[in-house]
Amino acid sequence: MLEFNSLQNLDVNAVNSSILLREAEETRKRTIRQQVLEMHEKHMTVMHECLKPIEQQCKEEKRKWLEKKRQCDVNIILKAKEQSELDLKEHQRQLEALRLQTQRQLQVISFQGIAQYQSKFRSKYEAIVNLLMSIDKAVLMSCNEYNNKLKELIKMFEQLINKIKGGTCGGEELKTADNLCKSLAALEIGILEALKQEKEKQENIAKEQQKAQSVIAASEKEPGQDTKQESPQPIQQSQPPPPQQQQQQQSEPQYTEASAPTQPHKENPPTTASKPTNETETNQSNISSQHVSQERFEFYTKINTFYLEKVERVKVLQSDESMKKYRFDCQKSINIPVNAISAVSPQHIQDKFDKLYSFVSSQPALGRDYCILLMAKKFVGQGETTISSNPQAAFPVASVIVSLWKCIPEFGQLFLAYCFKECPFLVPYFIPQKKDQSPEEYSKVLGFRMVDGQPEKQEMYLKRQAGIARLYAAVMVTNGRKQDDGTPHPYGLENAWRWLTNMMDIAPLPFLSATLIMEILQIVGSDMWTTYGKQFVKLLMYIQHHYFAKLSDGDTGGPKARLELLLNSFLRDGQIQKPAGMLPVGFW
């Protein structure tokens, strides 16, 4: 029993201990959990405290980034706006330039049209005046109405010209000029019709008078008197020349001595159809024998006529003050590339050619003629200046000339015209001095420049003429661009042969003739020897044995001596070397 009680007490104690232990464990766990929670809260608090500045910093950085982005967006918008304004201004500037260019082109076309109408009006007016001056006073009184109408039309056309000079020139003015020309043509038709009627009236009166005289003569005739009498002639009124002849006479270009190539002689080949054929042939024969071959004279006349037509055509542009800037721009666009031509590289020459060709080709019709004249004159001027001091410079310049000549044939003709104008012996022809002509006047005819009222020194004159001759000769033996190789040379070596043979037939000019022959032989001699062989050698021997006798009569200076040494060297060596500076084939 005691044991049972002991066991029972032991179990109770064990259970109580177990319960206490369990409760203690639970309490410990709760305590630990509480401590963990507190530690977690403390940790979270610490973390929040640590993260708070970082969050503030992030927010500040985000705010700054947004502000920076906004500022960048504003700058981009401002730059885009500025660029748009610049683009708009540039577009407006281009439109304005295009408008001015178009306006200038239209103005040039309008001026050209007005000039044609003005020439047509003047021609018709002069025809009417000649017509009115050719009729009798009695008939002229009946034409008083036409005369008043003519004065009215002249006044209206003068008002139109004054309006155009004021800067107003457009389609309305062209239409007005056309109407005035038509009115003037109608007036001429009216006058001709009135004169025709008046002529018929006079003829009828004359016939009546003739009948009356015949009746009187028949009634007063004595028996046996010869019945054959001379009929009275009707009154014939003087008639004006046909309109075509008037127009041909009035359309002949008027030009000054300074603006046109010098004429070979005061006599020109007769062109009047009323002269007998044999007289015409006689005059032309005299010109050929005294000055230059007929073939060469006709060639020169054709070139000179073409030049004068171009000069006359561009007068309206040259005299227009409103086109002064346009003329200056044209001169600048031509002078700069021409002055820069050299054989420094193929690309360099190609660039200068492209600038000249593209500029001239982009001009309107009248401006194109003006620019071609400028360009031809400038190239010949290079002969007088650059090439006269540096002979080797002739070949790159000549190469560009040949290339432009192939693309623009008109340029080549005008280039020749300026060569002949500045150096008449390149035609060639000799201009004899007139008896009443002063040395100063004769010097002008030969191409001397006037300095302070006196002809330039002979050394300077010969230097300029030699430079032009070098360029002229270089053109004949120089090729152009490679891409134009299939096109025939526009002014080949045969022209050098013609020139030399023609020079043998005219009287030499002291110093100049020997200088030109020497300069041209030095450049074309090698190619002529290769091309013409023995015939060219014979020509050289003829110059040496026969032409030198002509030179000796009036030329005892240095040019003749240098030419003689040159010929002796050619004939002694049996060949002529290529000139220095000549461009190789296919250079550019």
Side-chain angles (χ1 to χ4, degrees):
M1 189 67 175
L2 179 62
E3 292 179 1
F4 176 78
N5 289 333
S6 298
L7 292 172
Q8 188 176 12
N9 291 332
L10 180 62
D11 293 336
V12 170
N13 290 332
V15 170
N16 289 336
S17 297
S18 175
I19 294 170
L20 289 174
L21 288 173
R22 188 179 300 147
E23 289 177 357
E25 182 66 23
E26 291 294 331
T27 301
R28 187 184 65 80
K29 288 183 179 179
R30 283 196 299 269
T31 303
I32 292 174
R33 280 199 297 267
Q34 184 65 32
Q35 290 175 354
V36 170
L37 287 174
E38 290 175 359
M39 290 177 63
H40 180 71
E41 289 177 358
K42 288 180 181 180
H43 181 70
M44 293 300 296
T45 303
V46 172
M47 284 184 63
H48 281 301
E49 292 295 330
C50 294
L51 289 175
K52 190 173 182 179
I54 296 175
E55 289 178 354
Q56 291 293 333
Q57 185 179 359
C58 290
K59 289 181 181 179
E60 183 65 22
E61 290 179 354
K62 183 177 181 181
R63 185 189 64 78
K64 290 181 179 179
W65 180 82
L66 292 174
E67 180 65 22
K68 185 177 180 180
K69 183 176 180 299
R70 185 187 65 81
Q71 189 64 35
C72 290
D73 292 342
V74 171
N75 292 336
I76 291 173
I77 293 172
L78 290 176
K79 288 182 179 179
K81 185 177 180 181
E82 291 175 358
Q83 186 64 36
S84 298
E85 291 177 354
L86 290 176
D87 292 342
L88 180 61
K89 288 181 180 179
E90 177 64 19
H91 183 64
Q92 290 176 347
R93 188 191 65 79
Q94 291 178 357
L95 289 177
E96 181 65 18
L98 182 61
R99 185 187 67 80
L100 291 176
Q101 183 181 3
T102 304
Q103 183 180 2
R104 191 184 299 117
Q105 291 177 351
L106 290 175
Q107 195 173 27
V108 170
I109 294 172
S110 300
F111 275 120
Q112 182 180 356
I114 287 294
Q116 292 177 353
Y117 281 121
Q118 186 179 13
S119 177
K120 182 179 178 181
F121 187 90
R122 182 171 60 248
S123 176
K124 189 66 67 176
Y125 165 73
E126 292 176 356
I128 293 176
V129 169
N130 292 333
L131 185 61
L132 293 175
M133 292 177 63
S134 66
I135 61 180
D136 297 336
K137 275 189 176 181
V139 181
L140 184 61
M141 293 299 293
S142 64
C143 294
N144 191 35
E145 179 183 354
Y146 295 107
N147 195 24
N148 292 334
K149 182 66 175 176
L150 180 61
K151 291 180 180 179
E152 181 182 352
L153 290 174
I154 293 172
K155 184 178 179 181
M156 293 172 65
F157 204 89
E158 288 178 350
Q159 291 174 351
L160 176 64
I161 295 299
N162 291 331
K163 183 179 179 182
I164 292 171
K165 288 181 178 179
T168 304
C169 184
E172 183 178 351
E173 285 70 30
L174 288 173
K175 186 176 180 181
T176 303
D178 183 46
N179 291 334
L180 290 174
C181 290
K182 289 180 180 179
S183 300
L184 197 62
L187 181 64
E188 182 185 29
I189 294 173
I191 294 174
L192 290 173
E193 187 66 26
L195 288 177
K196 182 179 179 181
Q197 294 177 1
E198 185 65 27
K199 182 178 179 181
E200 292 177 353
K201 181 179 178 182
Q202 293 292 340
E203 289 178 352
N204 292 333
I205 293 174
K207 288 180 181 178
E208 294 294 333
Q209 291 176 352
Q210 183 179 1
K211 288 182 181 179
Q213 289 178 4
S214 298
V215 172
I216 293 172
S219 62
E220 294 179 354
K221 180 183 177 183
E222 296 179 359
Q225 186 178 358
D226 189 5
T227 59
K228 186 177 181 180
Q229 291 189 4
E230 183 179 359
S231 300
Q233 297 295 325
I235 300 175
Q236 298 290 336
Q237 297 187 18
S238 59
Q239 294 294 326
Q244 293 91 351
Q245 186 176 352
Q246 289 183 2
Q247 186 173 0
Q248 182 178 2
Q249 294 172 355
Q250 294 161 2
S251 63
E252 293 178 357
Q254 303 295 326
Y255 57 96
T256 62
E257 183 179 357
S259 65
T262 313
Q263 295 293 333
H265 193 260
K266 65 181 180 181
E267 298 177 357
N268 288 321
T271 56
T272 308
S274 60
K275 290 188 177 182
T277 304
N278 56 355
E279 181 182 353
T280 301
E281 293 175 351
T282 302
N283 290 338
Q284 293 179 347
S285 174
N286 291 337
I287 289 174
S288 300
S289 61
Q290 294 176 5
H291 302 287
V292 68
S293 70
Q294 182 64 26
E295 176 191 5
R296 201 64 181 169
F297 183 81
E298 291 175 355
F299 174 75
Y300 165 76
T301 303
K302 180 181 177 182
I303 292 293
N304 190 33
T305 302
F306 180 76
Y307 164 81
L308 294 175
E309 290 174 354
K310 292 294 183 182
V311 170
E312 184 70 20
R313 178 176 169 83
V314 302
K315 278 184 178 179
V316 61
L317 192 151
Q318 289 178 307
S319 60
D320 183 9
E321 286 298 321
S322 65
M323 302 299 291
K324 185 175 181 179
K325 185 177 183 304
Y326 174 75
R327 295 195 298 269
F328 176 78
D329 292 340
C330 290
Q331 292 173 2
K332 182 179 178 182
S333 299
I334 289 172
N335 290 347
I336 292 176
V338 173
N339 289 334
I341 294 174
S342 67
V344 61
S345 69
Q347 294 78 14
H348 178 80
I349 297 184
Q350 181 69 51
D351 176 67
K352 303 302 172 284
F353 167 82
D354 291 340
K355 287 181 178 178
L356 290 169
Y357 179 69
S358 60
F359 176 73
V360 172
S361 301
S362 64
Q363 302 304 309
L366 187 61
R368 183 175 182 273
D369 289 342
Y370 177 73
C371 290
I372 292 175
L373 279 165
L374 279 179
M375 191 163 61
K377 183 177 181 180
K378 179 62 180 177
F379 271 110
V380 176
Q382 288 293 98
E384 295 181 298
T385 55
T386 305
I387 298 171
S388 63
S389 302
N390 180 18
Q392 296 185 23
F395 297 102
V397 174
S399 184
V400 176
I401 290 174
V402 171
S403 298
L404 289 170
W405 197 333
K406 289 181 178 181
C407 299
I408 312 174
E410 297 172 343
F411 162 73
Q413 297 182 59
L414 295 176
F415 169 75
L416 290 178
Y418 276 108
C419 286
F420 297 156
K421 176 179 181 290
E422 299 299 332
C423 187
F425 258 58
L426 291 180
V427 175
Y429 58 75
F430 174 68
I431 310 169
Q433 185 174 5
K434 302 176 184 178
K435 292 182 180 180
D436 57 345
Q437 198 172 28
S438 66
E440 290 78 11
E441 292 175 342
Y442 186 53
S443 296
K444 288 183 180 179
V445 173
L446 295 178
F448 278 82
R449 298 274 173 84
M450 304 305 292
V451 180
D452 298 330
Q454 297 294 326
E456 62 184 330
K457 293 182 180 180
Q458 187 182 80
E459 294 80 4
M460 181 58 66
Y461 170 72
L462 290 177
K463 183 179 180 181
R464 289 194 305 103
Q465 299 294 298
I468 297 173
R470 290 169 191 159
L471 178 61
Y472 179 76
V475 166
M476 292 185 278
V477 296
T478 304
N479 296 315
R481 302 180 299 167
K482 288 185 290 187
Q483 65 185 77
D484 296 331
D485 287 346
T487 306
H489 197 290
Y491 201 71
L493 199 61
E494 65 278 4
N495 293 280
W497 179 270
R498 292 192 186 100
W499 183 81
L500 281 170
T501 54
N502 275 275
M503 280 291 287
M504 301 301 104
D505 294 334
I506 63 175
L509 191 67
F511 303 104
L512 181 60
S513 297
T515 298
L516 296 182
I517 293 174
M518 181 180 67
E519 293 294 344
I520 289 181
L521 278 178
Q522 285 179 316
I523 292 178
V524 305
S526 177
D527 285 17
M528 291 190 73
W529 195 304
T530 303
T531 303
Y532 299 110
K534 293 182 179 179
Q535 294 298 322
F536 180 63
V537 176
K538 290 180 181 178
L539 180 58
L540 294 180
M541 295 178 67
Y542 179 86
I543 296 174
Q544 186 183 46
H545 297 296
H546 299 280
Y547 187 71
F548 264 74
K550 296 181 182 180
L551 285 175
S552 299
D553 293 340
D555 193 344
T556 58
K560 175 179 175 293
R562 287 192 293 272
L563 176 60
E564 188 171 11
L565 289 174
L566 185 70
L567 287 176
N568 290 336
S569 174
F570 290 166
L571 295 172
R572 182 184 65 252
D573 297 341
Q575 63 176 351
I576 301 177
Q577 298 294 330
K578 289 277 188 181
M582 194 169 184
L583 300 182
V585 178
F587 180 73
W588 63 291

